[in-house]
Amino acid sequence: MNTTRRRFITNTLSSGAIAGAIPTAARAQFLNAPRHGLPGTLKERYAKLDAILKQPVFKRELFADPVIIESIELLHNKKQYLCRVRSKDGHEGLSVSNAQQMEVLYPMFVKHIAPFFIGKDARDIEELIPAATVYENNYKAQGLAIWVPIATIEFAILDMFGKMAKKPIGLLIGDKIYNDRISVYQANGERDISAEETIDHLKRDVAISNAKAIKFKLGGRMSHAEYPVGRSEKLIPLVRKTFGDQMVISADSNGSYTPAEAIPIGKLMQEYKYAFYEEPVPFDWYEETRQVADALDIPIAGGEQEPSTHNFRWLIANGGLSIVQQDMFYFGGMIRCMQVARMANAFGKQCIPHISSTGLGYVYMMHFVSAISNSGPYHEFKEFNNELPYHCDTSSLRSDSNGVIQVPSGPGFGVDIDPDFLKKCSVLTG
C-alpha cells in the first residue's frame, strides 16, 4: 500500500454543521473521504511546517499596555487545585488544574514553574512558555511534570486576558469562533471486563449523553497481555451489531500492540466500518505508527501522550497520523496545541484534542475546539466535576438531546467558581 493518508473529514465541516447531520453520513465521511499523497518533498513539507510554527497564536495586539504578573497562587480545597494569576494593575485570572496530576506535581508548580513568570509581561506568554522550560533546567523534567503546571498557568493568564478584553478564550488564540456547539462522543475507558459488560456500560452512558458517536478501549494498555483473552476481537463486531450502522464508532488501544498485532486489529475495524484507530502502537514508536498507517485504510489517531512539538512535526510531515490528539494539559496549554492543529490543517489532517478527566478540562477543550478550523465531527467528553461548585451563564455544560454542548461564550473561560469555595482554599507554598 502506498504512503498516502485518508482525510479524516473535509476541512469545510464544522461542529455546528455536524450537529444536525445523520450519523450514517458522518461515518461515510470518515470512511470514504479521498486519500491524498502528501505534497512536495519531505524537505518542503518541513519548511511549510516550520513557517507555521513561526506564526503567532496569542492575539497580543488586543492589549496595548504591559500586563505585569504580580502573583501566581496555587489554591487547594479538598481535591481541587486552582491557579490564580494577578497583575500589578489589578486584573485577575483563574484556572482549574488537573487534580490527579497536580496532587503530585504541585511542588514543581510552586518552586520551578510559577516563579519564572513573576514580574514578566503576560502579553509575552507565547515566548514565556518555552523560556519557562529552560528556567531551573525544567526541560530535564520534560513531560507531565512541567507541562501540566505550565498549562495551568497559561489557562489562568488567558482567563485574565479574556476578562480584560471581554472575549472568550477562543478569540484570544484564533481568528474567529468556528464551532460554538460541540458534538460529543461517548467514551468508555474500561478494560479487564468482558465484551458484554462493556456493551452494557456503553448503553448506559449513551442513554445519558445522547451521543451519536462512541469510543472504547482495546488491548491491554501499553501491554500485549489482554484480559479477558480475545476481548478486542469479540468486542469490535459486537459493538457494531449492538449500536447499528447509525452509530459512529472508534476504538483506542493505548499503545497495546506491535505493528504485527495492530494491523489485523485495524483490518477488523475496517471490516466493521470504524471511524478511527487510536494509538495502535506505543505513542513514541513513530516509525511503527507510520508502518501501521501505511498498511491500513482506517485513519490513525494519536498524540495524547506526546510532549514534543518537534515530534508532532515529524508525524505530520511523514504521514504517521491522520488525526492529532494533543492533550490540553499534558501538552502544555492551548498555544502549543494550536500550533499542532495548524500544522495538521496544512496537510488536510484533523484535530480531535484529548482531555484529561479531572478539574474542568472539558471546558478548556471546548474553548480550544471553538477556535480551530480543522476540528473533527465529534469530541471527547469526560465526566462532570460535581465536587467543584461553579456556574456558567452561557451554557449548561451538558449535552442536549442531540449529544451537543454549547461552548461558553462569556469572557475568559466563561465559568464562575463559587467565591465561598475560593475563600476556603489554602495557598500551597511547596
Side-chain angles (χ1 to χ4, degrees):
M1 178 171 288
N2 61 33
T3 59
T4 59
R5 290 290 173 272
R6 180 187 302 273
R7 285 180 184 244
F8 185 48
I9 60 170
T10 57
N11 288 338
T12 56
L13 289 175
S14 68
S15 294
I18 288 292
I22 299 172
T24 300
R27 195 191 72 227
Q29 289 162 345
F30 283 107
L31 297 171
N32 299 326
R35 293 167 63 88
H36 297 275
L38 291 169
T41 65
L42 182 60
K43 182 178 180 180
E44 290 169 338
R45 293 197 293 274
Y46 278 138
K48 185 174 184 177
L49 296 177
D50 289 341
I52 289 170
L53 290 173
K54 292 178 182 178
Q55 297 171 4
V57 174
F58 175 64
K59 302 298 182 184
R60 193 182 194 278
E61 64 273 14
L62 294 174
F63 307 94
D65 300 319
V67 182
I68 305 303
I69 298 172
E70 183 174 53
S71 65
I72 296 177
E73 298 172 304
L74 185 63
L75 310 179
H76 180 230
N77 186 351
K78 298 180 180 179
K79 295 181 179 180
Q80 306 302 316
Y81 293 83
L82 300 91
C83 173
R84 182 165 57 202
V85 171
R86 287 174 168 148
S87 70
K88 287 189 175 181
D89 51 359
H91 297 291
E92 183 177 303
L94 197 68
S95 69
V96 182
S97 190
N98 180 313
Q100 182 181 20
Q101 300 300 331
M102 196 57 74
E103 183 178 10
V104 296
L105 295 177
Y106 73 86
M108 192 73 181
F109 180 106
V110 172
K111 297 178 180 179
H112 282 256
I113 304 295
F116 170 78
F117 289 88
I118 304 301
K120 305 293 197 303
D121 187 344
R123 298 178 305 164
D124 297 330
I125 182 64
E126 204 150 344
E127 292 75 40
L128 294 177
I129 288 172
T133 69
V134 180
Y135 176 76
E136 296 288 354
N137 293 327
N138 286 329
Y139 64 88
K140 294 182 182 293
Q142 177 78 269
L144 299 183
I146 63 171
W147 291 124
V148 171
I150 287 175
T152 302
I153 292 171
E154 186 216 69
F155 294 157
I157 290 174
L158 290 177
D159 182 55
M160 177 178 67
F161 278 125
K163 291 171 181 174
M164 291 171 62
K166 297 181 172 56
K167 296 178 182 292
I169 286 176
L171 290 177
L172 302 181
I173 60 170
D175 296 325
K176 66 178 184 178
I177 298 298
Y178 290 92
N179 313 296
D180 61 357
R181 285 155 53 84
I182 307 279
S183 295
V184 303
Y185 68 73
Q186 180 62 57
N188 177 274
E190 297 169 298
R191 286 187 170 89
D192 298 336
I193 62 173
S194 70
E196 292 79 9
E197 287 177 288
T198 304
I199 293 291
D200 287 342
H201 294 176
L202 280 168
K203 284 181 177 179
R204 174 199 64 200
D205 295 338
V206 167
I208 297 171
S209 67
N210 300 303
K212 303 301 187 291
I214 56 179
K215 188 181 80 174
F216 60 91
K217 300 294 188 180
L218 300 172
R221 181 180 287 276
M222 295 292 284
S223 168
H224 307 308
E226 179 181 43
Y227 180 82
V229 176
R231 173 180 176 272
S232 296
E233 290 86 347
K234 183 176 183 179
L235 193 53
I236 291 168
L238 186 58
V239 173
R240 174 60 69 200
K241 179 180 178 181
T242 301
F243 290 95
D245 291 338
Q246 295 293 306
M247 184 65 77
V248 176
I249 307 174
S250 303
D252 176 11
S253 83
N254 287 112
S256 295
Y257 305 120
T258 65
E261 295 165 333
I263 290 168
I265 291 291
K267 289 183 177 179
L268 185 62
M269 293 169 70
Q270 289 174 180
E271 179 183 348
Y272 287 93
K273 297 180 172 56
Y274 276 48
F276 66 80
Y277 185 5
E278 185 173 340
E279 281 192 351
V281 297
F283 76 92
D284 55 353
W285 289 18
Y286 304 116
E287 292 282 0
E288 291 85 351
T289 297
R290 185 174 63 178
Q291 180 183 343
V292 173
D294 288 346
L296 297 172
D297 289 329
I298 187 171
I300 302 301
E304 167 190 345
Q305 316 295 343
E306 182 56 60
S308 168
T309 303
H310 199 76
N311 288 341
F312 269 118
R313 173 180 175 270
W314 188 97
L315 286 163
I316 292 167
N318 289 275
L321 297 175
S322 292
I323 305 144
V324 294
Q325 295 178 301
Q326 62 276 38
D327 184 286
M328 297 288 101
F329 277 107
Y330 300 166
F331 195 64
M334 295 191 193
I335 291 172
R336 298 184 83 234
C337 284
M338 180 61 78
Q339 291 176 324
V340 174
R342 287 177 174 180
M343 287 195 294
N345 189 50
F347 292 102
K349 301 175 186 296
Q350 295 298 306
C351 179
I352 303 180
H354 180 268
I355 186 59
S356 37
S357 60
T358 60
L360 288 178
Y362 62 92
V363 177
Y364 300 118
M365 181 273 290
M366 288 194 291
H367 280 296
F368 177 77
V369 170
S370 78
I372 60 174
S373 62
N374 58 327
S375 64
Y378 299 98
H379 292 273
E380 186 169 24
F381 183 77
K382 293 290 178 66
E383 68 270 16
F384 298 107
N385 187 331
N386 294 316
E387 298 177 350
L388 181 69
Y390 59 86
H391 174 74
C392 180
D393 288 329
T394 59
S395 173
S396 68
L397 303 181
R398 265 64 173 169
S399 53
D400 64 17
S401 60
N402 291 313
V404 177
I405 302 180
Q406 181 73 39
V407 179
S409 58
F413 84 117
V415 176
D416 296 316
I417 308 299
D418 183 357
D420 289 335
F421 180 86
L422 293 175
K423 289 177 183 177
K424 295 176 182 176
C425 289
S426 58
V427 178
L428 296 179
T429 58

